[in-house]
Amino acid sequence: MNIQRAKQEIKDTIEAYLDKDEYGAYRIPEIRQRPVLLMGPPGVGKTQIMEQIASECDIGLVAYTITHHTRQSAIGLPYIEKKTYGGNEVSVTQYTMSEIIASVYDRMEVSGKSEGILFIDEINCVSETLAPTMLQFLQCKTFGNQKVPKGWIIVAAGNPPEYNKSVRDFDVVTLDRVKVIDVEADYPVWRKYADQAGIHGAVISYLNIHRDNFYRCETTVDGMRFVTARGWEDLSEMLYAYERLGKTMDEDVVGQYLQYPSIAKDFANYLELYNRYQKDYQVDEILSGVIRPGTLSKLRYAAFDERVEIVSLLLSRLSADFKNWWETDRYVGHLYAILKEFQRRSLPSAADGTAPTDTSSASQAHTTLADKASAFSADTARSVSENEASYTSILESIVNDLKLQVHSRLDAGQSEKALTAEYRPVFQACDRYVLLLSERIPENSGAAFDLLRESFMKDRERLDAAAERTSARLEYAFDFMEAAFGESQEMVYFITELSVSLYAMDFLKEHESPRYYRYNKSLLFDDAQTGIRRQLDDIRSEMRGE
């Protein structure tokens, strides 16, 4: 199965294992809660989905790559303890608590979550001395003499033997005690992830045409040749860095990430064309509404792969616009929730019954933000005998509550990078709000709220501007697509790629594009999709010399 299906399978397993009866006991007894063993090639996202699962299930996460550990760190260190048996005192070997088990208890203490996932990566690549410990761990859910705490689900991951010479096979006794999920590399699933992760447009457009090069792993007389999803993502980060620094990436640099020489060479050549097409076709001009007759004339005689590449360049630019709108929308949604909570705490009688009572509802606020923003009423201004210090303290208290929620998610093992990207601009805006209250010293709570509302509406204008710009650029893209290609396979490709983009779909739900829906309805029949896939397959066959 693909990694997306595997993720859902693990989530379903966790929900089943953590389901409790009316007395608070787990319905599936602990002895029947088989550890999940996730087997698949390296770099397909096995480790990455664990953070997502922990976040979505609101549980803790402790992750270890077991090959980095020794037997002592896994089972603990021995010590001598005196015991009396039958009236005789004897010395008995005991073990300190395993570092891994201790980490689970530490995570429970700092996060406040009593349930979670203990994830052990590369479990079948351990040393000979540690192998029996791993078998005991999977069979008995213990490290040494210490059990994994109740409510913590064991998920382990490993690579099949064809990808790693140090892999050890599990015996039947062990396999009969685990729930095995086999994962395969799947480009369409990764493509959806790539859109959310902001993978470089050159990588996405190349792989859209050369899907066979997404994941390859072969053993040759010269050694291993491979390219993985992880390699493409790391290469994407370096591409962005080279662009910022004004550097040119060549085949040698590409080969440091795509360790499959023919694919590295092919992508390096493609990257050169990608950069050249950006200059030749002036994509930014097209998205500004400028369509040069020379561009249309040149495309009429261009090969199919070049035409698809121009569409990919348009999609790459639009993808950045959709993502910017989505992030701005989320940012403004968090601020809206904070201001509504400020309104509730400072003006209790002004609450309309629909205001969120805590900042955790911020993620739900952005979808109807335009309607909610208009609900901020000027008639909430009333004289209240409070000084300005109380208003700043109210706002700071709300922000501190939100920071505690974020820290709790970090303590539970969620991604620091993702949470920082989401909340850093929100906290920076709140610092501005606090400074505004301190400098302007409002006379009453109504005036304090109006000050914050006025500043918020400027942030709200950013969202309107982002939406207006994105809508305009999408319409200009349609203008160009109609002028250059009409209702062609290139238009099918354009509509199809918009339809698989999370950010594009979120945008189109709130900002209607009649042409998108018209083309989506009229073009995306099976025969149209089959036609473009057939042509793309032909290109791949030509590239392979078939």
Side-chain angles (χ1 to χ4, degrees), residues 348-377:
S349 63
D352 59 8
T354 62
T357 57
D358 61 61
T359 52
S360 65
S361 60
S363 61
Q364 302 172 355
H366 78 278
T367 55
T368 57
L369 196 55
D371 293 335
K372 290 183 176 180
S374 64
F376 283 129
S377 176

Side-chain angles (χ1 to χ4, degrees), residues 285-385:
E285 275 193 359
I286 292 171
L287 293 176
S288 299
V290 178
I291 303 176
R292 299 184 184 276
T295 299
L296 298 178
S297 178
K298 185 177 180 180
L299 278 174
R300 289 192 186 98
Y301 301 99
F304 179 70
D305 57 339
E306 183 172 339
R307 292 155 69 93
V308 169
E309 178 53 35
I310 301 311
V311 179
S312 295
L313 285 169
L314 288 173
L315 289 164
S316 177
R317 292 290 199 279
L318 288 173
S319 179
D321 292 329
F322 291 132
K323 185 177 183 181
N324 176 66
W325 169 83
W326 188 88
E327 290 176 342
T328 305
D329 196 23
R330 182 181 61 181
Y331 159 76
V332 174
H334 283 312
L335 292 181
Y336 172 82
I338 289 171
L339 262 66
K340 288 300 288 184
E341 180 63 8
F342 179 87
Q343 182 187 44
R344 188 188 69 81
R345 294 190 190 185
S346 62
L347 296 169
S349 63
D352 59 8
T354 62
T357 57
D358 61 61
T359 52
S360 65
S361 60
S363 61
Q364 302 172 355
H366 78 278
T367 55
T368 57
L369 196 55
D371 293 335
K372 290 183 176 180
S374 64
F376 283 129
S377 176
D379 32 333
T380 57
R382 298 175 294 106
S383 294
V384 180
S385 58

Side-chain angles (χ1 to χ4, degrees), residues 70-102:
T70 64
R71 184 173 182 273
Q72 286 74 24
S73 64
I75 69 172
L77 293 172
Y79 66 92
I80 304 300
E81 185 176 280
K82 298 290 185 180
K83 289 193 174 184
T84 301
Y85 296 123
N88 298 318
E89 186 180 82
V90 296
S91 297
V92 179
T93 301
Q94 298 284 5
Y95 286 87
T96 59
M97 179 176 283
S98 158
E99 176 188 326
I100 297 174
I101 298 296

Side-chain angles (χ1 to χ4, degrees), residues 14 47 49-64 103-119 151-153 403-416 419:
I14 289 172
T47 305
I49 64 169
M50 302 317 302
E51 288 184 356
Q52 300 170 16
I53 293 170
S55 175
E56 293 168 18
C57 294
D58 193 28
I59 57 178
L61 172 66
V62 172
Y64 273 90
S103 295
V104 173
Y105 282 108
D106 288 341
R107 183 56 50 87
M108 293 168 64
E109 188 169 333
V110 298
S111 68
K113 298 184 185 300
S114 60
E115 299 173 330
I117 300 169
L118 173 55
F119 178 63
W152 280 74
I153 312 303
K403 287 181 177 179
L404 287 174
Q405 293 178 33
V406 174
H407 282 299
S408 176
R409 292 167 65 181
L410 285 171
D411 291 338
Q414 294 185 27
S415 168
E416 181 176 3
L419 289 172

Side-chain angles (χ1 to χ4, degrees), residues 20 52 58 88 103 192 195 220 245 305 318 471 489:
K20 298 176 182 176
Q52 300 170 16
D58 193 28
N88 298 318
S103 295
K192 295 178 181 179
D195 184 58
T220 69
L245 298 171
D305 57 339
L318 288 173
S471 290
Q489 299 297 331

Side-chain angles (χ1 to χ4, degrees), residues 222-279:
D222 298 321
M224 289 290 294
R225 298 187 303 180
F226 60 92
V227 56
T228 69
R230 183 188 296 121
W232 286 113
E233 185 165 3
D234 291 346
L235 176 62
S236 169
E237 291 291 334
M238 189 56 70
L239 275 170
Y240 282 126
Y242 268 47
E243 288 177 354
R244 289 192 299 268
L245 298 171
K247 297 179 180 293
T248 301
M249 183 172 288
D250 58 19
E251 182 182 341
D252 290 336
V253 179
V254 173
Q256 295 164 14
Y257 296 89
L258 311 180
Q259 298 184 51
Y260 199 113
S262 62
I263 296 177
K265 181 178 181 179
D266 192 42
F267 179 75
N269 292 336
Y270 177 86
L271 186 60
E272 187 176 338
L273 287 175
Y274 180 89
N275 292 328
R276 192 186 82 195
Y277 289 156
Q278 289 191 86
K279 296 177 182 177

